[in-house]
Amino acid sequence: MYGHLNNAAYYYYFDSIINKYLIEHCGLDTCSTNTTKPIGLVVSSQANFYASASYPHLIHAGLRITKIGNSSIAYRVGIFEGDNLTACVVGGYTHVFVDPNTRRPVQALPKTFIEGLEKLL
């Protein structure tokens, strides 16, 4: 309606790129019925807006990991419009991985997570 993407859409992009990476490179299985595999809960998020993106331009996203903790991962995402090298939005969030039954943080992230995440540090 205002000729640009709504700010909430960027958070959708953040979530999509982060979870796509976790699924493809870290072994995350969001459809698993296994009640012993940790699940990620978003505990903080933020975004800084620098320019507007608009339809029908192609959107690109860049992902990096800023911190790997015992049970947490902090992500940084840049959203770019078309071939523009200046980000429209830079933001991201922090996951804390918890036991799906108790909702308490895990003692350590799975080894497959660490191996996949270290590629983006």
Side-chain angles (χ1 to χ4, degrees), residues 3 16-17 19-20 25 29 31 39 48-49 57 70 72 76 85 89 94-95 110-111 114 121:
S16 295
I17 186 124
N19 282 293
K20 180 175 175 55
H25 301 278
D29 182 358
C31 297
I39 59 171
N48 294 312
F49 299 88
H57 292 105
N70 291 329
S72 64
R76 194 98 168 128
L85 298 178
V89 177
T94 300
H95 263 148
K111 183 180 177 184
I114 302 295
L121 272 174

Side-chain angles (χ1 to χ4, degrees), residues 7-118:
N7 60 347
Y10 294 104
Y11 282 93
Y12 174 80
Y13 294 139
F14 295 167
D15 189 63
S16 295
I17 186 124
I18 290 166
N19 282 293
K20 180 175 175 55
Y21 188 86
L22 291 173
I23 291 165
E24 292 182 358
H25 301 278
C26 300
L28 179 66
D29 182 358
T30 57
C31 297
S32 176
T33 57
N34 183 335
T35 59
T36 62
K37 287 187 174 186
I39 59 171
L41 303 179
V42 174
V43 297
S44 68
S45 65
Q46 63 86 28
N48 294 312
F49 299 88
Y50 301 104
S52 294
S54 59
Y55 180 82
H57 292 105
L58 185 61
I59 300 295
H60 300 279
L63 172 65
R64 74 178 214 151
I65 305 301
T66 59
K67 182 182 177 206
I68 301 173
N70 291 329
S71 62
S72 64
I73 305 165
Y75 313 91
R76 194 98 168 128
V77 179
I79 303 292
F80 302 84
E81 181 183 61
D83 294 330
N84 195 338
L85 298 178
T86 302
C88 298
V89 177
V90 177
Y93 58 76
T94 300
H95 263 148
V96 171
F97 282 83
V98 301
D99 176 284
N101 298 308
T102 66
R103 301 293 175 144
R104 301 298 308 151
V106 296
Q107 294 289 322
L109 293 168
K111 183 180 177 184
T112 56
F113 276 40
I114 302 295
E115 290 169 352
L117 295 167
E118 285 180 338

